[in-house]
Amino acid sequence: MIDTKLLGDFKEQAFRNATRLFRDTALLYASARYPSAFVLAVAAYEEIGKVHVIDRACDAMCLNP
């Protein structure tokens, strides 16, 4: 069985990674590097999606152990 603390740590790291990717996206966009900024923005949104999936898994595990 997966530990909820482990999932919580994974969620935190995914959020930090998404934040870092978004900051890098903003820097690229400000430098007029639009294609690269777009790719990193997509990666940041994927990381946020991962955070939501992990959050739902944690909720499901807490509600139905």
Side-chain angles (χ1 to χ4, degrees):
M1 181 153 159
I2 298 174
D3 185 19
T4 55
K5 182 177 176 352
L6 180 65
L7 283 176
D9 292 341
F10 186 54
K11 183 173 72 170
E12 182 180 340
Q13 292 301 320
F15 182 76
R16 287 183 182 179
N17 192 33
T19 304
R20 182 186 58 80
L21 287 169
F22 185 75
R23 287 180 180 171
D24 291 346
T25 298
L27 290 172
L28 285 170
Y29 187 82
S31 299
R33 302 200 181 240
Y34 304 118
S36 299
F38 177 75
V39 170
L40 275 183
V42 169
Y45 276 112
E46 286 178 354
E47 285 294 312
I48 290 295
K50 190 186 303 182
V51 170
H52 287 295
V53 169
I54 296 167
D55 193 39
R56 285 187 183 210
C58 286
D59 288 345
M61 288 174 63
C62 289
L63 293 175
N64 188 12

